[in-house]
Amino acid sequence: MIGVAVAGACGRMGTLVIENVLNADDMKLVLALDVVRVGEPVCEGVVVQDAAEISELLSSAKPDVLIDFTRADAAVKNVGAAALSGVSAVVGTTGFSHEQRAQLEEFVDDRVPCIISPNFSIGVNAFFRIVESASRLLSGYDVEIVEAHHRNKQDAPSGTAMRLAHIISDVLGECEFVYGRKGMASRGDEIGIHAVRAGDIVGDHTVIFAGNGDRIELTHRAHSRNTFASGAVAAARWIVSQPAGMHTMDEFLSSLTG
């Protein structure tokens, strides 16, 4: 039985992650962490605990894996605590700075296995591979990325859009990223990245490859946030048996296809 701790337990994603854990035959929720609704019951034997005390709580609950959907600054602290406690980590939090990402890698190096992804949807990670292949075939085409999310999403562009941009740039070779356009904005050798925030959109990502005479648009649309939660739980099941260090969703996807 895999013992699971969830940070951000009362958020939209944390709630769905907990639901998936409770429905899994091989997992047990042993710790729910948040900074709100502390003391409220989550399930039989588990109440929301104060995330400020994560180090002590991980030491007493002894989970096998921590699943984190919080904010960048909180996730850095949470992963650091998990690493010191020997707890594997699955991080769906986005918006990390380069410094924060380096700190996360330093925390887990030679200590615990960890997987950080802007998107745990299996479909999105297949989409990443499709976009990479298209980038190789369409190297002379202009590229634009358009993403849309609900009005309450804080970071823009989305972590998934940025991951797409880096995948394409790695294929084409160090492209400039241009975030929206205004005024006199002649197009160069760049990747345009555009963010929409409106209503209750779960998550749409479109990559446009436009040439002289034709255009290809590749789109992934998330219909439910549960696609992210179930993917994170599946990744948690996988990560606990991996060696210490940073791992990727591409590795996880490869494990599914053999």
Side-chain angles (χ1 to χ4, degrees):
M1 190 70 69
I2 300 170
V4 180
V6 177
C10 299
R12 280 181 292 191
M13 285 305 304
T15 300
L16 286 171
V17 167
I18 286 173
E19 183 179 319
N20 278 265
V21 170
L22 295 177
N23 288 330
D25 293 335
D26 60 342
M27 289 183 163
K28 180 180 181 181
L29 182 70
V30 298
L31 183 61
L33 297 158
D34 215 312
V35 294
V36 298
R37 293 161 52 185
V38 174
E40 286 191 15
V42 176
C43 63
E44 185 177 353
V46 179
V47 300
V48 178
Q49 303 270 20
D50 188 351
E53 301 174 4
I54 184 170
S55 297
E56 297 82 358
L57 292 167
L58 288 174
S59 295
S60 60
K62 299 187 184 329
D64 298 296
V65 61
L66 170 72
I67 302 177
D68 184 289
F69 281 90
T70 57
R71 297 173 65 96
D73 54 348
V76 170
K77 174 185 175 184
N78 295 342
V79 172
L84 289 174
S85 297
V87 177
S88 305
V90 170
V91 183
T93 300
T94 58
F96 294 113
S97 67
H98 292 300
E99 293 77 13
Q100 287 172 325
R101 181 70 190 221
Q103 193 171 9
L104 289 167
E105 292 179 359
E106 183 179 348
F107 282 151
V108 304
D109 186 40
D110 294 328
R111 290 191 180 94
V112 294
C114 176
I115 182 168
I116 300 174
S117 177
N119 198 311
F120 279 96
S121 162
I122 303 301
V124 159
N125 283 277
F127 183 58
F128 289 156
R129 289 191 175 188
I130 293 166
V131 168
E132 181 179 12
S133 295
S135 300
R136 297 186 189 283
L137 294 170
L138 303 169
S139 59
Y141 283 54
D142 292 332
V143 182
E144 300 281 306
I145 299 171
V146 182
E147 59 95 344
H149 285 83
H150 56 90
R151 70 191 312 274
N152 295 317
K153 183 171 176 60
Q154 297 298 306
D155 57 318
S158 70
T160 300
M162 293 309 300
R163 176 68 180 137
L164 288 164
H166 284 290
I167 288 170
I168 298 164
S169 182
D170 287 346
V171 172
L172 301 182
E174 295 301 320
C175 297
E176 179 186 3
F177 298 162
V178 175
Y179 303 96
R181 296 186 180 86
K182 181 180 180 182
M184 304 298 291
S186 299
R187 197 185 206 287
D189 293 328
E190 63 197 38
I191 297 175
I193 306 171
H194 313 274
V196 175
R197 296 290 175 267
D200 62 353
I201 301 170
V202 174
D204 295 353
H205 293 87
T206 296
V207 180
I208 303 168
F209 294 92
N212 294 321
D214 65 356
R215 180 175 76 251
I216 294 174
E217 298 185 9
L218 302 175
T219 298
H220 178 275
R221 291 189 177 92
H223 299 161
S224 166
R225 288 182 181 84
N226 195 56
T227 188
F228 312 131
S230 62
V233 170
R237 183 178 288 113
W238 174 79
I239 199 67
V240 295
S241 62
Q242 302 309 306
M246 281 291 182
H247 296 271
T248 67
M249 279 297 286
D250 198 54
E251 290 177 66
F252 173 53
L253 204 62
S254 295
S255 77
L256 298 179
T257 58

